[in-house]
Amino acid sequence: MPDINELQDFATQVRRDILRQVHKVNSGHPGGSLGCTEFFTALYQEVMDHNTNFDMDGKEEDLFFLSNGHISPVFYSVLARSGYFPVEELNTFRLIDSRLQGHPTTHEGLPGIRIASGSLGQGMSVALGAAQTKKLNKDKHIVYTLHGDGELQEGQNWEAIMYAAGNKIDNIISTVDLNGQQIDGSTENVLPLGNLKAKFEAFGWDVMEVEDGNDLQQVIDGLKEAKSRTGKGKPVCILMNTVMGNGVDFMMHTHAWHGKAPNDEQLEKGLSQNPETLGDY
Protein backbone atom coordinates (compact mmCIF):
# COMPACT_ATOMS: atom_id res chain seq x y z
CA MET A 1 0.00 0.00 0.00
CA PRO A 2 1.28 3.52 -0.76
CA ASP A 3 1.88 5.83 2.21
CA ILE A 4 -0.09 9.04 2.72
CA ASN A 5 2.52 11.21 1.00
CA GLU A 6 2.47 8.99 -2.08
CA LEU A 7 -1.32 9.15 -2.09
CA GLN A 8 -1.19 12.95 -1.83
CA ASP A 9 1.15 13.03 -4.83
CA PHE A 10 -1.25 10.79 -6.72
CA ALA A 11 -4.17 13.13 -5.95
CA THR A 12 -2.18 16.20 -7.00
CA GLN A 13 -1.33 14.62 -10.34
CA VAL A 14 -4.97 13.67 -10.84
CA ARG A 15 -5.93 17.32 -10.39
CA ARG A 16 -3.48 18.26 -13.12
CA ASP A 17 -5.00 15.59 -15.37
CA ILE A 18 -8.51 16.96 -14.76
CA LEU A 19 -7.52 20.51 -15.68
CA ARG A 20 -5.61 19.47 -18.76
CA GLN A 21 -8.36 17.16 -20.05
CA VAL A 22 -11.12 19.76 -19.97
CA HIS A 23 -8.86 22.59 -21.18
CA LYS A 24 -7.73 20.74 -24.30
CA VAL A 25 -11.26 20.31 -25.65
CA ASN A 26 -12.76 23.39 -23.93
CA SER A 27 -15.43 21.11 -22.52
CA GLY A 28 -16.12 19.04 -19.44
CA HIS A 29 -16.84 19.24 -15.72
CA PRO A 30 -13.85 20.23 -13.58
CA GLY A 31 -15.64 21.42 -10.43
CA GLY A 32 -17.07 18.18 -9.11
CA SER A 33 -14.09 16.23 -10.45
CA LEU A 34 -11.65 18.29 -8.40
CA GLY A 35 -13.85 18.00 -5.33
CA CYS A 36 -13.90 14.18 -5.50
CA THR A 37 -10.19 13.64 -6.16
CA GLU A 38 -9.47 12.41 -2.64
CA PHE A 39 -12.41 10.00 -2.75
CA PHE A 40 -11.26 8.34 -5.97
CA THR A 41 -7.65 8.26 -4.80
CA ALA A 42 -8.60 6.61 -1.51
CA LEU A 43 -10.97 4.15 -3.17
CA TYR A 44 -8.73 2.91 -5.96
CA GLN A 45 -5.34 3.25 -4.30
CA GLU A 46 -6.08 2.14 -0.74
CA VAL A 47 -9.52 0.72 0.04
CA MET A 48 -11.12 -1.19 -2.82
CA ASP A 49 -10.18 -4.77 -3.72
CA HIS A 50 -10.26 -4.45 -7.50
CA ASN A 51 -8.68 -6.08 -10.53
CA THR A 52 -7.12 -4.05 -13.35
CA ASN A 53 -7.49 -7.12 -15.57
CA PHE A 54 -11.00 -5.86 -16.20
CA ASP A 55 -14.03 -7.95 -17.05
CA MET A 56 -17.70 -7.05 -16.80
CA ASP A 57 -18.59 -10.00 -14.56
CA GLY A 58 -16.57 -8.56 -11.69
CA LYS A 59 -16.52 -11.80 -9.75
CA GLU A 60 -14.55 -12.00 -6.50
CA GLU A 61 -13.67 -8.31 -6.46
CA ASP A 62 -15.18 -5.06 -5.20
CA LEU A 63 -17.14 -3.07 -7.76
CA PHE A 64 -17.58 0.69 -8.21
CA PHE A 65 -20.41 2.48 -9.99
CA LEU A 66 -20.20 6.21 -10.73
CA SER A 67 -23.72 7.61 -10.81
CA ASN A 68 -22.91 11.30 -11.41
CA GLY A 69 -21.11 10.48 -14.64
CA HIS A 70 -20.32 14.07 -15.63
CA ILE A 71 -17.29 13.97 -13.30
CA SER A 72 -15.65 11.59 -15.74
CA PRO A 73 -12.31 13.51 -15.83
CA VAL A 74 -11.40 12.38 -12.31
CA PHE A 75 -12.67 8.86 -12.96
CA TYR A 76 -10.65 8.49 -16.17
CA SER A 77 -7.49 9.88 -14.58
CA VAL A 78 -7.64 7.54 -11.59
CA LEU A 79 -8.49 4.51 -13.73
CA ALA A 80 -5.55 5.23 -16.04
CA ARG A 81 -3.09 5.90 -13.23
CA SER A 82 -4.31 2.77 -11.42
CA GLY A 83 -3.42 0.65 -14.45
CA TYR A 84 -6.70 0.09 -16.29
CA PHE A 85 -5.56 1.68 -19.57
CA PRO A 86 -2.57 3.74 -20.78
CA VAL A 87 -2.25 7.17 -19.17
CA GLU A 88 -1.51 8.64 -22.62
CA GLU A 89 -5.10 7.87 -23.64
CA LEU A 90 -6.21 10.78 -21.44
CA ASN A 91 -5.16 12.89 -24.45
CA THR A 92 -8.29 11.66 -26.25
CA PHE A 93 -10.84 12.92 -23.70
CA ARG A 94 -14.10 13.94 -25.41
CA LEU A 95 -12.68 13.57 -28.92
CA ILE A 96 -14.64 11.88 -31.73
CA ASP A 97 -14.25 8.09 -31.61
CA SER A 98 -12.51 8.27 -28.22
CA ARG A 99 -13.17 5.66 -25.55
CA LEU A 100 -13.16 8.57 -23.07
CA GLN A 101 -16.51 10.19 -23.75
CA GLY A 102 -17.79 13.14 -21.72
CA HIS A 103 -20.08 10.82 -19.83
CA PRO A 104 -18.79 7.25 -19.41
CA THR A 105 -20.43 4.62 -21.59
CA THR A 106 -19.86 0.91 -21.98
CA HIS A 107 -20.00 0.36 -25.73
CA GLU A 108 -16.53 1.88 -26.20
CA GLY A 109 -15.15 -0.98 -24.08
CA LEU A 110 -13.08 1.23 -21.77
CA PRO A 111 -11.71 -0.90 -18.91
CA GLY A 112 -13.14 0.11 -15.54
CA ILE A 113 -16.47 1.39 -16.88
CA ARG A 114 -19.39 -0.79 -15.83
CA ILE A 115 -22.40 1.39 -16.71
CA ALA A 116 -23.32 4.37 -18.85
CA SER A 117 -23.95 7.22 -16.44
CA GLY A 118 -25.02 10.22 -18.48
CA SER A 119 -28.54 10.34 -17.02
CA LEU A 120 -28.48 11.17 -13.33
CA GLY A 121 -30.22 9.14 -10.64
CA GLN A 122 -29.71 5.66 -12.02
CA GLY A 123 -26.42 4.48 -10.52
CA MET A 124 -27.75 3.14 -7.25
CA SER A 125 -30.39 1.03 -8.96
CA VAL A 126 -27.78 -0.71 -11.11
CA ALA A 127 -25.40 -1.10 -8.17
CA LEU A 128 -28.08 -2.74 -6.05
CA GLY A 129 -28.61 -5.33 -8.77
CA ALA A 130 -24.88 -6.05 -8.72
CA ALA A 131 -24.87 -6.24 -4.92
CA GLN A 132 -27.75 -8.70 -4.89
CA THR A 133 -26.00 -10.78 -7.54
CA LYS A 134 -22.92 -10.99 -5.34
CA LYS A 135 -25.08 -12.23 -2.49
CA LEU A 136 -26.65 -14.90 -4.71
CA ASN A 137 -23.18 -15.97 -5.85
CA LYS A 138 -21.86 -16.12 -2.25
CA ASP A 139 -19.34 -13.43 -3.23
CA LYS A 140 -18.32 -11.54 -0.08
CA HIS A 141 -17.03 -8.45 -1.90
CA ILE A 142 -18.53 -4.96 -1.65
CA VAL A 143 -20.23 -2.66 -4.15
CA TYR A 144 -19.33 1.04 -3.91
CA THR A 145 -21.24 3.94 -5.48
CA LEU A 146 -20.83 7.71 -5.73
CA HIS A 147 -23.64 10.23 -6.15
CA GLY A 148 -23.87 14.00 -6.37
CA ASP A 149 -25.98 15.80 -3.80
CA GLY A 150 -27.99 17.60 -6.49
CA GLU A 151 -28.51 14.22 -8.11
CA LEU A 152 -30.59 13.16 -5.11
CA GLN A 153 -33.31 15.47 -6.41
CA GLU A 154 -34.03 12.63 -8.88
CA GLY A 155 -36.83 10.46 -7.51
CA GLN A 156 -35.42 7.14 -8.71
CA ASN A 157 -32.72 7.42 -6.04
CA TRP A 158 -35.30 7.27 -3.27
CA GLU A 159 -37.02 4.23 -4.74
CA ALA A 160 -33.63 2.52 -4.79
CA ILE A 161 -32.77 3.72 -1.28
CA MET A 162 -36.05 2.27 0.00
CA TYR A 163 -35.50 -0.98 -1.93
CA ALA A 164 -31.98 -1.44 -0.54
CA ALA A 165 -33.05 -1.30 3.09
CA GLY A 166 -36.24 -3.28 2.48
CA ASN A 167 -34.19 -6.11 1.01
CA LYS A 168 -31.36 -5.87 3.57
CA ILE A 169 -28.73 -5.27 0.91
CA ASP A 170 -25.85 -4.81 3.32
CA ASN A 171 -22.93 -5.22 0.92
CA ILE A 172 -23.21 -1.76 -0.60
CA ILE A 173 -21.56 1.53 0.44
CA SER A 174 -23.08 4.58 -1.22
CA THR A 175 -21.23 7.88 -0.87
CA VAL A 176 -22.92 11.23 -1.46
CA ASP A 177 -20.68 14.11 -2.52
CA LEU A 178 -22.04 16.98 -0.45
CA ASN A 179 -20.58 20.10 -2.06
CA GLY A 180 -23.82 22.08 -1.96
CA GLN A 181 -23.54 23.03 -5.64
CA GLN A 182 -25.22 21.96 -8.86
CA ILE A 183 -25.27 23.27 -12.41
CA ASP A 184 -27.78 26.09 -11.81
CA GLY A 185 -26.61 27.23 -8.38
CA SER A 186 -26.49 26.01 -4.82
CA THR A 187 -28.62 23.02 -3.90
CA GLU A 188 -30.20 25.18 -1.22
CA ASN A 189 -31.48 27.63 -3.83
CA VAL A 190 -32.40 25.13 -6.55
CA LEU A 191 -34.15 22.51 -4.41
CA PRO A 192 -33.17 22.10 -0.75
CA LEU A 193 -32.25 18.56 0.25
CA GLY A 194 -33.04 19.00 3.92
CA ASN A 195 -31.52 16.70 6.51
CA LEU A 196 -30.03 13.91 4.39
CA LYS A 197 -28.79 11.98 7.41
CA ALA A 198 -32.31 11.85 8.84
CA LYS A 199 -33.74 10.96 5.43
CA PHE A 200 -31.40 8.01 4.84
CA GLU A 201 -31.89 6.80 8.41
CA ALA A 202 -35.67 7.02 8.01
CA PHE A 203 -35.30 4.84 4.92
CA GLY A 204 -33.43 2.24 7.00
CA TRP A 205 -29.78 2.94 6.16
CA ASP A 206 -26.72 3.02 8.42
CA VAL A 207 -25.43 6.56 7.89
CA MET A 208 -22.03 8.03 8.69
CA GLU A 209 -20.39 11.33 7.82
CA VAL A 210 -16.95 12.42 6.62
CA GLU A 211 -16.48 15.95 7.90
CA ASP A 212 -13.83 16.92 5.35
CA GLY A 213 -13.99 14.92 2.14
CA ASN A 214 -10.95 16.76 0.82
CA ASP A 215 -8.78 15.46 3.65
CA LEU A 216 -7.34 12.27 2.21
CA GLN A 217 -6.79 10.56 5.55
CA GLN A 218 -10.34 11.33 6.65
CA VAL A 219 -11.71 9.83 3.45
CA ILE A 220 -9.60 6.68 3.84
CA ASP A 221 -10.65 6.29 7.46
CA GLY A 222 -14.28 6.92 6.54
CA LEU A 223 -14.32 4.31 3.79
CA LYS A 224 -12.66 1.75 6.05
CA GLU A 225 -15.16 2.48 8.83
CA ALA A 226 -18.01 2.08 6.33
CA LYS A 227 -16.58 -1.26 5.23
CA SER A 228 -16.59 -2.45 8.84
CA ARG A 229 -20.32 -1.70 9.00
CA THR A 230 -21.25 -3.88 6.02
CA GLY A 231 -22.78 -7.32 6.49
CA LYS A 232 -24.96 -6.22 9.38
CA GLY A 233 -28.36 -6.10 7.73
CA LYS A 234 -28.35 -2.49 6.52
CA PRO A 235 -26.98 -0.67 3.46
CA VAL A 236 -24.33 1.90 4.39
CA CYS A 237 -24.32 5.58 3.36
CA ILE A 238 -21.41 8.02 3.65
CA LEU A 239 -22.27 11.71 3.60
CA MET A 240 -19.01 13.27 2.44
CA ASN A 241 -18.58 17.04 2.73
CA THR A 242 -16.41 18.42 -0.08
CA VAL A 243 -15.65 21.71 -1.79
CA MET A 244 -16.44 21.97 -5.49
CA GLY A 245 -13.27 22.88 -7.40
CA ASN A 246 -11.05 22.00 -4.45
CA GLY A 247 -7.33 22.56 -5.01
CA VAL A 248 -7.76 25.38 -7.55
CA ASP A 249 -8.51 28.55 -5.63
CA PHE A 250 -10.57 30.40 -8.24
CA MET A 251 -12.81 27.36 -8.86
CA MET A 252 -13.69 26.71 -5.22
CA HIS A 253 -17.02 27.33 -3.45
CA THR A 254 -19.00 28.15 -6.59
CA HIS A 255 -21.20 26.36 -9.11
CA ALA A 256 -19.64 28.46 -11.89
CA TRP A 257 -17.07 25.73 -12.65
CA HIS A 258 -19.54 22.85 -12.62
CA GLY A 259 -19.26 22.51 -16.38
CA LYS A 260 -16.83 25.13 -17.69
CA ALA A 261 -13.27 24.67 -18.93
CA PRO A 262 -10.39 26.99 -17.99
CA ASN A 263 -8.77 29.19 -20.63
CA ASP A 264 -5.00 29.16 -21.20
CA GLU A 265 -4.23 31.64 -18.43
CA GLN A 266 -6.55 29.91 -15.95
CA LEU A 267 -5.05 26.54 -16.81
CA GLU A 268 -1.55 27.77 -15.99
CA LYS A 269 -2.76 29.24 -12.71
CA GLY A 270 -4.50 26.00 -11.76
CA LEU A 271 -1.48 23.88 -12.68
CA SER A 272 0.83 26.14 -10.68
CA GLN A 273 -1.22 25.27 -7.58
CA ASN A 274 -0.86 21.54 -8.33
CA PRO A 275 2.78 20.80 -9.24
CA GLU A 276 3.61 17.80 -11.41
CA THR A 277 4.29 14.75 -9.22
CA LEU A 278 3.90 11.55 -11.27
CA GLY A 279 4.53 12.94 -14.74
CA ASP A 280 2.05 14.54 -17.13
CA TYR A 281 0.63 12.46 -19.94
Side-chain angles (χ1 to χ4, degrees):
M1 292 289 186
D3 65 29
I4 193 66
N5 292 321
E6 291 172 319
L7 291 172
Q8 294 285 6
D9 285 346
F10 186 96
T12 298
Q13 188 65 50
V14 168
R15 284 200 164 85
R16 290 181 66 86
D17 292 348
I18 292 165
L19 294 169
R20 295 179 68 232
Q21 284 177 84
V22 298
H23 168 264
K24 179 179 179 180
V25 291
N26 193 31
S27 180
H29 296 78
S33 295
L34 292 165
C36 285
T37 298
E38 283 79 16
F39 171 83
F40 277 92
T41 298
L43 190 66
Y44 275 87
Q45 291 291 300
E46 180 73 16
V47 176
M48 194 165 66
D49 179 12
H50 59 106
N51 185 359
T52 57
N53 186 20
F54 182 77
D55 73 85
M56 288 297 282
D57 287 338
K59 293 180 179 178
E60 299 301 327
E61 64 173 313
D62 294 339
L63 305 181
F64 172 70
F65 293 91
L66 175 65
S67 191
N68 49 331
H70 56 276
I71 65 168
S72 61
V74 63
F75 194 17
Y76 294 150
S77 171
V78 170
L79 285 175
R81 294 192 179 276
S82 297
Y84 280 84
F85 57 86
V87 173
E88 293 74 22
E89 194 169 351
L90 297 175
N91 271 308
T92 71
F93 176 67
R94 277 185 177 245
L95 297 180
I96 293 174
D97 296 326
S98 170
R99 297 198 296 177
L100 279 64
Q101 291 299 303
H103 292 75
T105 59
T106 54
H107 65 268
E108 280 88 2
L110 185 66
I113 305 301
R114 298 193 178 278
I115 57 168
S117 50
S119 298
L120 294 174
Q122 300 177 357
M124 189 179 293
S125 298
V126 180
L128 289 172
Q132 284 191 303
T133 300
K134 284 195 175 292
K135 281 181 168 290
L136 289 169
N137 289 339
K138 311 298 184 195
D139 183 339
K140 299 298 185 182
H141 286 79
I142 295 170
V143 175
Y144 294 87
T145 68
L146 179 65
H147 312 264
D149 47 3
E151 183 188 5
L152 294 185
Q153 294 160 355
E154 297 277 1
Q156 182 174 335
N157 288 295
W158 297 98
E159 295 180 59
I161 290 164
M162 179 168 54
Y163 180 91
N167 288 275
K168 294 181 171 56
I169 304 175
D170 57 2
N171 58 337
I172 189 167
I173 298 172
S174 294
T175 298
V176 181
D177 174 26
L178 287 176
N179 60 30
Q181 307 291 334
Q182 58 189 105
I183 192 168
D184 291 326
S186 71
T187 53
E188 192 64 28
N189 289 332
V190 175
L191 184 62
L193 295 164
N195 187 335
L196 282 179
K197 186 174 190 291
K199 282 184 169 70
F200 270 91
E201 287 179 340
F203 275 69
W205 284 57
D206 182 5
V207 186
M208 53 176 290
E209 298 182 70
V210 172
E211 183 178 345
D212 184 355
N214 297 120
D215 181 306
L216 189 51
Q217 190 62 60
Q218 281 194 39
V219 177
I220 292 169
D221 293 344
L223 284 166
K224 289 182 176 179
E225 169 65 20
K227 186 175 180 179
S228 74
R229 299 189 186 193
T230 59
K232 298 180 180 178
K234 288 186 175 184
V236 180
C237 171
I238 302 174
L239 300 176
M240 180 178 71
N241 297 284
T242 69
V243 173
M244 178 171 276
N246 191 66
V248 179
D249 57 8
F250 60 89
M251 292 186 176
M252 295 172 67
H253 304 288
T254 173
H255 72 283
W257 292 94
H258 172 93
K260 183 174 74 171
N263 60 30
D264 292 350
E265 181 181 348
Q266 291 165 333
L267 173 67
E268 289 308 313
K269 185 176 180 181
L271 292 177
S272 71
Q273 297 171 26
N274 294 274
E276 188 175 355
T277 54
L278 304 182
D280 288 335
Y281 58 86

